[in-house]
Amino acid sequence: MSRRSSEREQLALFRALPGDDMALRDAQDLMAYPFFSLAKSRRTVPIRFDAGAVSLTVEGVPEHGIATIWDADVLIWAASQIVQARDEGRPTSRLMAATPYEILRFAQRATGRTEYLGLRASLDRLQSTTVLTSIRQAGKRMHRFSWINEWQEHVRPDGRSDGIELILPDWFYSGVMDDALVLTLDPAYFRLTGGIERWLYRLVRKHGGRQRNGWRFDMRYLHLKSGSLQRYRDFALHLRGLVLRQALPGYRLAIEWAGRTEWLAFRPDPGAPDRGDLSTAPVEEAVDSAGTGSGDHRRGSREIAGAAIERSPAQNLLQAAPGNGLGLP
């Protein structure tokens, strides 16, 4: 008996519910580290990140490339379904079933043929992308998995889809089942069109929480933590544009300078609607302990790697960010 058939036979089927009004949930680990490609073009260059005890490598195959941050909408859907069912006392499982229509509607996408084919491509990338990480592993152990162990589609005689079944990895499922490792997202997240915008919102949501005084990151460390293949100067220019547009729902962004170091600061937007349901977990006191080097990494390896431990690249803000939104001296 094959491993896959054995796994399927041992799991009870969890039939997902229509989730039009379901709260968006995301796993904090996925929000904090560069697990996904931020580009819509196919990426095959591995993502590598090392900071202190945290290590991860993400690899894709040439046919599909690495799973993107838009593909991660499927995982947000899965996490939202699992948490909702758990909170209602219904049984959950890593073996999930739904229709493409339900998943697309949840992700606030259209439901035409183009979107349907895009969903199939997302499932292929999620299944073929492999992750090797030390996160949530005891000692120096590493865990390798794919975002989806396998998926299959049931097709009607007329060729139309009759539903999709997929099996989630235990690493993802166990993280979602732990309430302390899950946060709620603003529904406006799905309306963010840029990969860097989506990544930054998730990072800010994870590390900023609802802290009144906000938080800030060293811009070079943000470049490192994004896993982006953009040159640093292009990445920094992109983030400055997001500050000018105030592009993240629920947060105010600002650029600050300390000597020659550029920081991205963020704090809850006092003018945003009060959404107490977003405060689902206390924010950690320290973001992490990895520092950054001072050089521009664009001439180095095209694989993204972390630097040695030096100082915290993120700090609580004790004073209000500059009122012009840019913080330029």
Side-chain angles (χ1 to χ4, degrees), residues 47-212:
I47 301 171
R48 302 190 191 280
F49 180 84
D50 291 283
V54 173
S55 174
L56 69 88
T57 299
V58 184
E59 298 173 296
V61 298
E63 181 180 1
H64 302 297
I66 291 174
T68 72
I69 200 161
W70 295 274
D71 301 332
D73 289 357
V74 175
L75 300 178
I76 294 175
W77 164 81
S80 303
Q81 288 281 344
I82 291 168
V83 172
Q84 181 86 3
R86 183 202 65 193
D87 291 349
E88 293 175 354
R90 294 187 289 115
T92 64
S93 171
R94 293 191 294 115
L95 174 58
M96 300 185 66
T99 65
Y101 176 85
E102 291 167 346
I103 299 175
L104 291 170
R105 285 276 302 195
F106 176 85
Q108 301 179 23
R109 301 185 190 181
T111 55
R113 175 173 173 77
T114 298
E115 289 75 24
Y116 164 71
L117 294 176
L119 176 59
R120 291 185 61 181
S122 290
L123 294 170
D124 282 338
R125 281 188 293 271
L126 290 165
Q127 194 279 322
S128 61
T129 296
T130 61
V131 178
L132 179 67
T133 185
S134 63
I135 297 173
R136 286 193 272 119
Q137 304 304 302
K140 296 183 178 180
R141 292 190 305 174
M142 302 291 286
H143 191 146
R144 184 183 291 277
F145 59 90
S146 295
W147 293 117
I148 294 177
N149 288 1
E150 63 174 280
W151 73 276
Q152 67 177 17
E153 183 178 23
H154 300 284
V155 181
R156 300 173 185 173
D158 63 2
R160 299 179 64 184
S161 176
D162 198 30
I164 290 173
E165 292 182 5
L166 57 87
I167 300 178
L168 299 168
D170 183 67
W171 186 92
F172 175 81
Y173 180 77
S174 61
V176 170
M177 289 297 288
D178 186 339
D179 191 51
L181 299 179
V182 175
L183 287 175
T184 306
L185 305 182
D186 193 302
Y189 169 78
F190 285 139
R191 297 196 290 274
L192 297 176
T193 58
I196 290 180
E197 288 175 80
R198 284 179 164 229
W199 160 78
L200 184 60
Y201 171 78
R202 296 169 84 190
L203 187 73
V204 167
R205 174 74 188 101
K206 163 68 172 75
H207 290 309
R210 303 293 292 182
Q211 293 189 109
R212 183 168 56 93

Side-chain angles (χ1 to χ4, degrees), residues 272-308:
D274 184 18
R275 290 186 52 82
D277 59 319
L278 294 185
S279 301
T280 56
V283 70
E284 56 192 343
E285 292 183 2
V287 173
D288 50 42
S289 58
T292 59
S294 59
D296 191 330
H297 299 285
R298 63 179 180 268
R299 289 188 292 272
S301 169
R302 294 288 282 172
E303 296 177 347
I304 307 301

